[in-house]
Amino acid sequence: MTGVPASAAGGTGRRAPGGKLGAAAVNQASLWNIANILTMLRLVLVPAFVVLLLQDGGYDPAWRAWAWAAFAVAMITDIFDGHLARTYNLVTDFGKIADPIADKAIMAAGLICLSALGDLPWWVTGVILFRELGITLMRFWVIRHGVIPASRGGKMKTLAQGTAVGMYVLALTGPLATLRWWVMALAVVLTVATGLDYVRQAVVLRRRGLAAERAARAAEAAGDAEAAAGAARAGAGGAVAEVDGADGGVGAVGAVGAVGGVGVEADGDEADGTAGRAGAARAGEGAGTGGTGGAGANAEAAAEPPR
């Protein structure tokens, strides 16, 4: 079930007035799927389990059998709600938060009650709860670098813990009472071993994440440096072009001066052929020489007497 009928969301099946309001109503209604209902049922079973376990001082076999039934239902729903959410795409933000809370709550309630009744040493309860709380906090510590996936050892740990606590909840005697002690010992060993493995994974994941961040910053700095070098090269190219343009302007002015010099020398040639040829030769030199030749030719032309 991925949602609710239109009548449940709006009452008539018509489009809700206002886009944002309609979207909010749909999102809120989508929380009521089978996976989330099972999670909420498990949350409700936590106080019910505690009340049943502690009835008549906590030592009545009948009440403890009812408490075991509530605990067993909670464990079964823990298996099915996650499977249904992943299989039928029913994953929601509520489920992501409520599911681990329900898991830890039912287990913590069983351990604390059993230790309070004297059936289970407090150090066992402390080790298990410390591990569960520590791993949860550690997941938040490295969540920006990635997610630590649930391992096969972690699933075995959960199964061993649930089986051991369930056996302790029942009023067992004889060989079964001895067996439950060994099952709890296995659960404690798996709890510590998987906890250390999760710590190792978290450290490795964080180191990789920090290395990736440093590499990204280095790449960004290299990109900035390359961009600055490109800008410098572009500025240098503009300066060369400007210099080339200035040289071209000087050459053009020199050429004009040379042409002027040739013209004046031609006038001077009518008065004195030798002076005209010397002026034309000087005008054929560079830009500055051409200008100087033109000035000299003008002086010579001015000095010659008119015909």
Side-chain angles (χ1 to χ4, degrees):
M1 182 169 60
T2 59
V4 296
S7 58
T12 61
R14 294 174 297 182
R15 184 176 181 179
K20 294 184 179 179
L21 183 60
V26 172
N27 290 335
Q28 185 176 3
S30 66
L31 295 176
W32 294 97
N33 58 64
I34 185 63
N36 287 344
I37 291 174
L38 290 177
T39 300
M40 287 184 278
L41 174 62
R42 192 160 70 257
L43 287 170
V44 173
L45 284 174
V46 173
F49 163 74
V50 172
V51 170
L52 292 172
L53 181 59
L54 299 180
Q55 283 293 321
D56 291 342
Y59 298 103
D60 189 317
W63 285 112
R64 293 187 72 145
W66 283 107
W68 177 86
F71 183 83
V73 171
M75 291 293 99
I76 293 173
T77 58
D78 181 28
I79 297 174
F80 281 102
D81 62 355
H83 174 72
L84 291 172
R86 290 186 296 269
T87 302
Y88 297 101
N89 194 24
L90 302 177
V91 178
T92 62
D93 292 338
F94 171 80
K96 293 177 183 178
I97 298 173
D99 183 70
I101 291 177
D103 298 343
K104 303 297 185 293
I106 191 68
M107 188 62 64
L111 292 169
I112 292 173
C113 288
L114 290 172
S115 294
L117 293 173
D119 294 338
L120 190 66
W122 276 106
W123 70 266
V124 174
T125 298
V127 168
I128 294 177
L129 294 184
F130 177 80
R131 185 268 189 197
E132 299 298 333
L133 179 60
I135 295 301
T136 301
L137 295 177
M138 189 179 61
R139 287 179 183 273
F140 285 106
W141 179 54
V142 300
I143 194 171
R144 71 187 185 96
H145 302 296
V147 178
I148 303 176
S151 63
R152 181 175 299 180
K155 295 178 181 179
M156 292 178 59
K157 177 268 305 178
T158 302
L159 177 62
Q161 285 182 357
T163 303
V165 171
M167 294 180 71
Y168 268 89
V169 169
L170 289 172
L172 301 178
T173 58
L176 291 177
T178 304
L179 178 61
R180 71 183 182 182
W181 186 91
W182 287 105
V183 175
M184 182 59 76
L186 176 62
V188 172
V189 171
L190 290 175
T191 297
V192 175
T194 56
L196 293 176
D197 183 62
Y198 277 126
V199 171
R200 180 191 62 81
Q201 292 185 55
V203 172
V204 172
L205 183 62
R206 187 171 186 273
R207 286 178 178 175
R208 290 178 179 176
L210 293 176
E213 290 179 358
R214 287 194 294 269
R217 288 195 295 268
E220 183 179 358
D224 292 342
E226 185 176 356
R233 287 193 297 270
V240 170
E242 183 177 356
V243 171
D244 292 342
D247 292 343
V250 172
V253 172
V256 172
V259 172
V262 171
V264 174
E265 290 291 348
D267 292 340
D269 184 64
E270 296 180 0
D272 189 347
T274 301
R277 285 191 298 273
R282 287 194 299 273
E285 297 178 359
T289 305
T292 304
N298 288 333
E300 292 177 3
E304 285 293 325
R307 295 179 59 183

